[in-house]
Amino acid sequence: MPRREKMLLCAGAVFLVLLFLMSSTDLIIKERAVQIDSISVILSEDMDDYYQNFRKGMEKAATDLRSDVRLITLYDRKDQDQQVELTTREIRDGAGAVVIEPAEEKAAVMALESLNPGCPVIFVSASSPSDFVTDSILIDYFEAGRILGEKAAEKNLPGEKVCLFAQGMAYNGVQDAYEGVCSVLNDQGISYELYVDKEGKAFRKVIENTVYPGTGPVEVVALDVQSLDRTASILNESSVYKDHVSLYGIGSTTGILNLLDQGIIDGLVTYDQFSQGYLSIKKAVEAIHGSRQKQETLLDPVYLDQQELASGAYEKMLYPME
């Protein structure tokens, strides 16, 4: 082979090697760095049992939108001061946005105004006109309460007492739900009593009194998911209680839905928690990139009883991704 051809072959081989090296690195085409948005989600509870579908929606959005999402629970449930401390820590550590389920809505807004977060803040299960809250995603609590008030009024019998249970009136949506229930009961002249108890001891006493000394049948409307869960657990302890107590409430978990299916709970109002979780992350990402304007998203309340649950009409909403 002539020397000239050998040189051309060597040069060609060297050229091909260089092309391979450059194409397999970023010497020619620099790969666009993928931005991973850091988002902290701070709940108001000390465990995430009440957030099963919310968490699924949040995790799906994190995957779709390439976000790093941290789910944080409190050490002590509904501890507003602790939630403020955790919020401050996450912002200080560089969170691009913070999603908060406020323990107490008004106190949370005041804390944000003092903190001046400097990053987008999304509220879930609460709303606020504050400039520090970029978006809010929540159920229409007044409408949820009104629906439960109508159901309680439908069944109300002579001599039957209506009791409203809540773990705290300052907690998210409880006051609005209370006003929704009362708007119906007041219009129909039905008397009621409100019991506020974070530990649920007052709820137990009301239920036990229906059996002994026998104060008569009671209709209970639980104004928050924790009160509904606690009351249903008490009723589930003895079949005797269920003979004297009808139970309605707001919220759903797998355990609560099982008790609805068993007839322990007569009816409940829930909503699309998967969508709430997904939207909270989606809106946070949009706010980080400056493409969000302040708005409030209201999720439609859905009433379920044993028959509606068995129909399967809301199976996809209640059991997403299963």
Side-chain angles (χ1 to χ4, degrees):
M1 182 181 291
R3 184 178 178 184
R4 190 164 181 268
E5 287 185 19
K6 288 182 179 179
M7 291 178 65
L8 286 172
L9 284 172
C10 290
V14 171
F15 180 69
L16 289 173
V17 170
L18 287 174
L19 278 178
F20 172 77
L21 290 173
M22 288 188 292
S23 64
S24 61
T25 64
D26 60 356
L27 292 175
I28 296 177
I29 303 173
K30 289 188 176 294
E31 290 187 10
R32 185 177 179 182
V34 176
Q35 180 176 343
I36 304 296
D37 297 310
S38 175
I39 302 168
S40 297
V41 180
I42 305 175
L43 304 178
S44 64
E45 291 289 326
D46 56 356
M47 55 184 179
D48 62 0
D49 292 9
Y50 295 118
Y51 305 91
Q52 296 156 350
N53 288 350
F54 177 89
R55 182 167 192 159
K56 289 178 183 178
M58 182 192 76
E59 290 173 348
K60 180 68 166 60
T63 300
D64 291 349
L65 304 172
R66 296 183 177 182
S67 302
D68 177 24
V69 178
R70 282 166 42 84
L71 183 67
I72 301 165
T73 56
L74 304 183
Y75 305 118
D76 299 305
R77 58 189 300 270
K78 301 298 183 184
D79 189 325
Q80 179 61 40
D81 292 337
Q82 191 180 103
Q83 192 173 57
V84 172
E85 290 176 12
L86 291 171
T87 302
T88 303
R89 183 194 73 186
E90 293 304 302
I91 293 171
R92 183 192 62 220
D93 291 348
V98 180
V99 177
I100 304 174
E101 182 204 32
E104 297 180 20
E105 183 181 320
K106 292 180 180 178
V109 172
M110 292 175 62
L112 283 176
E113 291 175 349
S114 299
L115 182 60
N116 192 7
C119 72
V121 175
I122 312 296
F123 269 10
V124 293
S125 301
S127 66
S128 171
S130 170
D131 292 337
F132 292 103
V133 179
T134 308
D135 267 299
S136 302
I137 310 161
L138 68 156
I139 183 178
D140 186 338
Y141 284 105
F142 182 90
E143 178 62 14
R146 190 193 65 76
I147 292 170
L148 292 175
E150 287 186 343
K151 296 300 178 181
E154 281 177 12
K155 196 171 180 180
N156 188 252
L157 302 172
E160 194 168 42
K161 187 167 71 171
V162 176
C163 297
L164 311 181
F165 288 179
Q167 60 170 347
M169 298 305 291
Y171 298 150
N172 296 337
V174 174
Q175 182 65 39
D176 287 341
Y178 172 74
E179 291 174 3
V181 175
C182 294
S183 69
V184 175
L185 299 182
N186 289 334
D187 283 348
Q188 299 197 26
I190 299 172
S191 60
Y192 53 88
E193 295 180 24
L194 173 65
Y195 295 83
V196 180
D197 186 351
K198 190 174 181 179
E199 303 302 323
K201 293 178 181 178
F203 307 163
R204 178 177 291 279
K205 186 175 181 180
V206 169
I207 292 168
E208 289 177 345
N209 284 347
T210 64
V211 180
Y212 182 83
T215 55
V218 169
E219 285 193 76
V220 173
V221 178
L223 301 175
D224 54 76
V225 64
Q226 293 83 1
S227 298
L228 176 60
D229 190 19
R230 195 180 301 275
T231 306
S233 297
I234 296 170
L235 292 180
N236 199 34
E237 293 174 7
S238 171
S239 59
V240 177
Y241 293 150
K242 194 54 192 157
D243 294 336
H244 302 272
V245 180
S246 300
L247 176 60
Y248 304 89
I250 294 177
S252 64
T253 63
T254 300
I256 286 174
L257 292 173
N258 287 338
L259 292 173
L260 176 65
D261 187 44
Q262 295 168 29
I264 303 299
I265 299 172
D266 292 83
L268 58 82
V269 171
T270 188
Y271 60 98
D272 190 345
Q273 297 171 41
F274 179 91
S275 291
Q276 185 184 46
Y278 193 98
L279 284 173
S280 68
I281 302 305
K282 182 174 184 289
K283 289 172 180 285
V285 170
E286 291 173 350
I288 289 172
H289 295 280
S291 58
R292 288 295 307 168
Q293 292 185 343
K294 183 179 178 65
Q295 70 177 61
E296 178 180 276
T297 301
L298 281 179
L299 302 169
D300 294 332
V302 174
Y303 180 78
L304 295 174
D305 56 20
Q306 189 179 39
Q307 183 177 354
E308 195 70 47
L309 180 66
S311 74
Y314 294 98
E315 185 171 355
K316 187 175 180 181
M317 182 189 80
L318 297 171
Y319 307 103
M321 301 175 67
E322 291 185 3

